[in-house]
């Protein structure tokens, strides 16, 4: 397998003859995908073939007096050391597996820069990463050396996210100057092939994480986006960014005051902003969990991150009140992020079957900071309003880009900046306008800064942050943690039960909470609660505006008047949830 950089179209670069790097690693082999690889692989399948969304553009400096041959040897040693850099992802009859080639070659571009080689290398890396990888036939790495006056000064890289995650990038960056210097580094003790074998051991790991997911799925809103869709913008997904030293200073002050981490402060702030916009008192976010707690995984190059479910109760108190409980939920999520995806998907489907609607958890937060911390923040006293106000004058917001397809309705993320709160918000404009992403950034800063000096009630977060909550039309009501359109739900029930009549009622569930009851006339094929629930779930697939009734009442004939359903004779009644053919009905 070879990686062939295209001819550079970067201003100030002159292409020289490319070089070939041959490599021979300690072993090759084939195995099932690791759980971390599965997460990235599923996301790539959601995109069109050739989409570069999961490509990583990266640059590494070349310092000292190393010549081109030394740099090329270092590239070869890097690929030999880390099996993930010589891995293809191939069909195996059961799905997809990882196949590690023991030996091969890589074509490396060589370019001469007129000036500023690192800047040129960054532009070249972006070009190399602008086309998707052929995961089955191509090495997950493309690279080129940028020289100045014949001396290598930078390495431009395009990497597949299937090969490396953020943790791996930091590890490779630390190894790179030592490899260029010719140092003989000890071989990694743990590789994705080893991880795949461990994840399929008996008993398998992840039982506690599965329990964490089950608990979260039962308490989370079935969607944070249970409101009418809007006409999406074009392109549909937009991302904005912010650089705010003031937000970082404020987050550090709040973390120290309440005995929590800055990562937890940011997580709770994201939950509060999202809850304020969507009208939810409970917010569910998927956190990207690095899964590097175990020492052997700490030294593994390759994707290990998985999504962890964090459900935060926003309650009736203040933002400060939510920080302690939110921190505990955040830390529990990070401790329980390593699990068998197939088992979590099964639990997801089972809970959807019980809840009566697809569970949509497409809201994410990714804290990419090294060790979840900032270093080198400006020495500003967060308790000095004038100093903090002056620091806010340095805040910068900016448009990042627009995308046709992303597997998220909202995605919060930090950036790696060590001396400022670099923060990003991406939104699906079919649910939230693009301007909301930009306003959330300013709102995040305002919320954090204000919370340092005053109590901010959670029910005033939208006002404080300058956000406009979504407006649900008449007929929408809260049923537990979910919002539902009663007219649309009744219309769906009637379509499912046609040609017989049907009706929907909101009734007391016995514990003071409202529950939906579906009344209908039984007929062949729809003569048990289980049959009706199966049909309703099929019809409701993918919708966030409807909720299957919690109880079904089947009658022999309709009442004389629409208000008479509750007094009709009953052939059968029940919730229809058991037995559960959830995975078949939901199409998993």
């Amino acid at each position: 397998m070879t990686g062939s950089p295209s001819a550079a179209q970067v201003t100030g670069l002159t292409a020289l003859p490319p070089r070939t790097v041959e490599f021979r690693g300690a072993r090759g082999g084939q195995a099932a995908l690791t759980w971390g690889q599965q997460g990235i692989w599923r996301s790539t399948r959601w995109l069109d073939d050739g989409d570069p969304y999961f490509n990583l553009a990266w640059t590494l400096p070349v310092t000292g007096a190393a010549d081109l041959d030394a740099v090329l040897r270092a590239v070869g040693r890097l690929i030999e050391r880390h099996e993930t850099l010589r891995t293809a992802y191939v069909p195996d009859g059961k799905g997809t597996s990882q196949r590690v080639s023991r030996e091969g070659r890589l074509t490396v571009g060589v370019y001469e820069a007129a000036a500023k080689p690192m800047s040129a290398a960054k532009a070249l890396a972006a070009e190399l990463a602008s086309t998707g990888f052929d995961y089955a036939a191509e090495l997950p790495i493309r690279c080129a050396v940028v020289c100045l006056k014949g001396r290598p000064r930078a390495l431009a890289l395009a990497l597949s996210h299937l090969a490396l995650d953020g943790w791996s990038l930091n590890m490779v960056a630390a190894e790179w100057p030592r490899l260029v210097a010719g140092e003989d580094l000890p071989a990694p003790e743990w590789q994705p092939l080893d991880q795949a074998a461990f994840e399929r051991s008996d008993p398998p790991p992840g039982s506690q994480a599965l329990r964490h997911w089950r608990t979260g799925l039962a308490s989370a809103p079935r969607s944070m986006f249970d409101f009418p869709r809007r006409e999406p913008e074009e392109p549909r997904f937009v991302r904005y960014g912010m650089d705010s030293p003031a937000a970082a200073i404020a987050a550090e002050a709040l973390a120290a005051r309440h005995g929590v981490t800055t990562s937890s402060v940011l997580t709770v702030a994201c939950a509060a902003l999202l809850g304020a916009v969507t009208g939810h008192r409970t917010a569910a976010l998927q956190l990207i969990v690095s899964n590097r707690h175990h020492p052997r995984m700490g030294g593994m190059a390759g994707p290990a991150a998985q999504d962890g479910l964090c459900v935060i109760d926003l309650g009736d108190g203040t933002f400060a009140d939510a920080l302690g409980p939110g921190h505990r939920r955040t830390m529990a999520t990070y401790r329980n992020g390593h699990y068998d995806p197939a088992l979590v998907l099964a639990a997801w489907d089972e809970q959807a079957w019980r809840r009566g609607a697809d569970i949509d958890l497409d809201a994410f937060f990714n804290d990419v900071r090294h060790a979840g911390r900032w270093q080198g923040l400006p020495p500003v006293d967060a308790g000095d309003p004038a100093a903090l106000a002056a620091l806010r004058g340095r805040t910068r917001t900016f448009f990042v880009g627009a995308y046709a397809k992303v597997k998220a309705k909202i995605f919060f993320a930090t950036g790696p900046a060590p001396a400022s709160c670099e923060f990003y918000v991406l939104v699906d404009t079919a649910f939230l306008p693009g301007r909301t992403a930009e306003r959330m950034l300013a709102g995040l800063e305002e919320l954090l800064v204000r919370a340092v000096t005053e109590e901010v009630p959670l029910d005033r977060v939208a006002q404080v942050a300058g956000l406009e909550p979504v407006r649900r039309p008449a007929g929408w009501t809260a049923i537990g943690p979910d919002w539902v359109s009663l007219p649309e739900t009744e219309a769906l029930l009637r379509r499912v039960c046609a040609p017989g009549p049907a009706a929907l009622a909101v009734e007391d569930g016995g514990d003071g909470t409202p529950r939906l009851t579906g009344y209908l006339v039984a007929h062949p094929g729809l003569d048990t609660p289980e049959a009706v629930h199966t049909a309703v779930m099929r019809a409701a697939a993918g919708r966030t505006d409807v909720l299957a009734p919690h109880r079904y009442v089947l009658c022999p004939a309709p009442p004389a008047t629409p208000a008479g359903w509750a007094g009709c004779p009953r052939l059968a009644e029940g919730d229809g949830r058991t037995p559960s053919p959830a995975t078949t009905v939901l199409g998993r």
Side-chain angles (χ1 to χ4, degrees):
M1 295 182 292
T2 63
S4 301
S6 59
Q9 301 298 318
V10 178
T11 301
L13 281 181
T14 301
L16 303 176
R19 300 285 292 271
T20 298
V21 171
E22 296 188 352
F23 55 85
R24 182 178 177 83
R27 67 173 178 179
Q30 188 161 329
L33 298 183
T34 67
W35 295 343
Q37 288 171 334
Q38 287 181 42
I40 301 295
W41 181 254
R42 283 195 304 273
S43 295
T44 66
R45 297 304 85 193
W46 194 80
L47 299 171
D48 295 330
D49 288 343
D51 192 304
Y53 184 81
F54 283 101
N55 289 358
L56 307 171
W58 201 37
T59 54
L60 291 170
V62 178
T63 57
D67 60 15
L68 181 58
D69 286 338
V71 172
L72 295 174
R73 281 195 298 271
V75 170
R77 287 290 294 120
L78 190 67
I79 297 172
E80 289 172 346
R81 286 175 53 74
H82 299 299
E83 293 174 359
T84 189
L85 295 178
R86 41 193 169 91
T87 297
Y89 302 87
V90 296
D92 62 1
K94 299 178 181 178
T96 302
S97 63
Q98 55 171 317
R99 184 175 66 201
V100 178
S101 295
R102 184 178 183 188
E103 59 187 36
R105 57 181 59 192
L106 175 72
T107 300
V108 178
V110 182
Y111 298 90
E112 177 71 22
K116 298 182 178 180
M118 279 301 293
S119 297
K122 289 180 180 178
L124 180 56
E127 181 186 324
L128 295 177
S130 64
T131 57
F133 283 90
D134 182 342
Y135 297 117
E138 183 183 1
L139 287 175
I141 175 173
R142 302 170 187 147
C143 66
V145 181
V146 176
C147 304
L148 182 66
K149 298 179 180 179
R151 180 70 67 183
R153 284 292 175 255
L155 185 71
L157 290 156
L159 298 155
S160 166
H161 202 356
L162 274 164
L164 297 178
D165 57 11
W167 183 282
S168 306
L169 290 175
N170 289 327
M171 187 169 61
V172 168
E175 292 178 354
W176 174 246
R178 301 171 67 185
L179 292 172
V180 172
E183 188 174 339
D184 187 15
L185 302 181
E189 297 181 357
W190 200 254
Q191 306 266 15
L193 289 178
D194 306 306
Q195 184 65 20
F198 167 67
E199 289 170 350
R200 283 150 186 82
S201 58
D202 188 17
S207 58
Q208 177 60 42
L210 181 59
R211 288 192 290 272
H212 173 86
W213 265 95
R214 289 185 182 278
T215 300
L217 287 167
S219 59
R222 53 77 183 264
S223 175
M224 296 300 295
F225 301 90
D226 44 8
F227 48 83
R229 290 167 60 106
R230 59 191 298 274
E231 185 65 29
E233 299 165 19
E234 184 62 39
R236 177 170 163 177
F237 298 85
V238 297
R239 192 182 196 216
Y240 285 84
M242 175 180 71
D243 179 11
S244 170
I249 294 292
E252 289 276 7
L254 291 168
R257 180 184 303 167
H258 297 282
V260 302
T261 64
T262 55
S263 187
S264 294
V265 171
L266 294 174
T267 301
V268 175
C270 291
L273 292 170
L274 182 57
V277 167
T278 62
H280 283 278
R281 292 296 185 93
T282 300
L285 292 169
Q286 291 197 71
L287 310 185
I288 312 304
V289 183
S290 68
N291 285 329
R292 302 293 183 157
H293 311 302
H294 196 284
R296 62 190 178 193
M297 289 185 72
M300 182 189 79
Q306 292 180 261
D307 300 334
L309 179 56
C310 186
V311 181
I312 295 178
D313 182 7
L314 299 171
D316 297 317
T318 66
F319 178 69
D321 294 333
L323 288 177
H327 171 71
R328 291 189 287 274
R329 293 292 181 92
T330 300
M331 293 299 101
T333 300
Y334 286 131
R335 288 193 302 269
N336 290 286
H338 186 225
Y339 52 83
D340 184 338
L343 296 181
V344 166
L345 284 174
W348 192 311
D349 286 341
E350 182 66 29
Q351 188 56 229
W353 181 259
R354 293 175 182 170
R355 293 281 290 277
D358 284 353
I359 296 178
D360 161 32
L361 296 177
D362 282 348
F364 299 86
F365 173 54
N366 189 14
D367 189 352
V368 307
R369 297 173 300 155
H370 184 63
R373 297 183 180 90
W374 290 293
Q375 280 128 10
L377 291 178
V380 174
D381 181 4
D384 182 346
L388 204 54
L391 190 61
R392 293 183 73 178
R394 291 167 49 183
T395 298
R396 180 175 65 95
T397 59
F398 48 92
F399 176 72
V400 176
Y403 317 90
K405 198 183 265 191
V406 178
K407 184 64 174 72
K409 291 185 175 66
I410 192 164
F411 203 123
F412 301 97
T414 63
S420 178
C421 180
E422 181 184 347
F423 208 84
Y424 299 92
V425 180
L426 176 146
V427 297
D428 179 352
T429 61
F431 292 90
L432 297 173
R435 64 179 180 275
T436 296
E438 188 173 19
R439 288 177 179 175
M440 277 187 167
L441 294 168
L444 175 77
E445 182 187 68
E446 181 66 27
L447 173 61
L448 296 178
V449 168
R450 191 175 296 197
V452 171
T453 57
E454 64 182 79
E455 296 292 341
V456 179
L458 287 165
D459 61 7
R460 292 189 63 247
V461 166
Q463 179 182 347
V464 168
L467 296 169
E468 182 178 347
V470 297
R471 296 184 179 181
R472 294 175 173 86
W476 285 74
T477 190
I479 304 290
D482 305 319
W483 284 92
V484 58
S485 170
L486 298 180
E488 287 296 325
T489 300
E490 184 168 68
L492 181 140
L493 182 65
R494 287 175 173 171
R495 284 196 299 272
V496 166
C497 298
L504 183 73
V506 180
E507 300 177 345
D508 188 344
D511 57 359
T513 58
R515 291 291 183 266
L516 301 181
T517 300
Y519 291 94
L520 65 146
V521 173
H523 57 84
L526 289 176
D527 50 6
T528 66
E530 289 73 24
V532 178
H533 188 61
T534 299
V536 169
M537 289 296 290
R538 285 194 178 119
R543 295 183 59 172
T544 59
D545 59 340
V546 297
L547 192 68
H550 301 89
R551 182 165 158 266
Y552 300 95
V553 177
L554 282 67
C555 306
T561 65
W565 280 101
C568 283
R570 303 181 179 194
L571 296 175
E573 59 184 294
D575 62 15
R577 268 65 171 173
T578 54
S580 170
T583 54
T584 300
V585 172
L586 298 176
R588 306 294 189 198

